[in-house]
Amino acid sequence: MTKSTWAIDPTHSEIGFKVKHMMFTNVSGKFTQFEATIENEDDAFETSKISFSAEVNSVDTGNGDRDNHLRGADFFDVENFAKLTFNSTSIQKENEGEYKINGDLTIKDVTKNITLEAEYSGLMKDPWGNTKIGLSLNGKINRAAFGLTWNAALETGGVLVGEDIKLASEVQFVKQ
């Protein structure tokens, strides 16, 4: 068996999320500073161990005031918790090119096991001879489970910020 290591290609990757605002529209955001590696045997995706971290200070929703609020103690508390991390614990093939990735997500000081749906591209060579793989990742978490509990009530009932966070990322990895 040959062990392979893959590094995320940040110029061709986006780590994104969506959350309901005022219970009827979605606000999108992303992290702009992140690292990830995959280690596997004989380039077989189902043998992969995935490690990911994002600099929480890099959160970007397109609104500076909102981003600063997210960085503060009401949400991510970047002064005390600079990174969020994900480490896979297992990968199961569902169908051709479709996988479930289970792993431990840590936000602030809370770690929970989550499942991500993954579409896997398989191996490809770019025009410069680099071997790459692509993943489309989707999942959902409850932000309150990770200690992100701030909210505000609306006069019409309901809350300002939804509890469910939809995770959506498009990532490329290059073989090292």
Side-chain angles (χ1 to χ4, degrees), residues 15-20 26 31 52 56 70 75-76 84-87 101-108 110-117 137-149 161-169:
I15 308 301
F17 61 88
K18 288 184 180 182
V19 62
K20 286 277 187 208
N26 283 309
F31 294 97
F52 168 82
V56 183
L70 288 172
F75 288 98
F76 288 115
L84 63 83
T85 61
F86 175 83
N87 291 292
I101 301 173
N102 296 299
D104 293 326
L105 176 65
T106 302
I107 299 175
K108 294 172 93 170
V110 178
T111 301
K112 300 279 184 190
N113 188 268
I114 67 166
T115 301
L116 299 173
E117 304 285 332
L137 301 165
N138 292 287
K140 185 169 71 170
I141 62 170
N142 181 299
R143 68 185 179 88
F146 291 91
L148 305 175
T149 57
V161 183
E163 292 234 341
D164 288 335
I165 308 295
K166 293 180 184 174
L167 309 174
S169 297

Side-chain angles (χ1 to χ4, degrees), residues 11-50:
T11 60
H12 296 107
S13 298
E14 185 168 288
I15 308 301
F17 61 88
K18 288 184 180 182
V19 62
K20 286 277 187 208
H21 182 256
M22 294 183 62
M23 301 184 63
F24 62 85
T25 59
N26 283 309
V27 170
S28 297
K30 62 185 177 182
F31 294 97
T32 60
Q33 295 174 19
F34 48 84
E35 296 177 349
T37 58
I38 296 175
E39 291 183 350
N40 56 25
E41 299 291 338
D42 296 329
D43 298 334
F45 185 67
E46 53 273 14
T47 69
S48 296
K49 296 287 185 206
I50 302 169

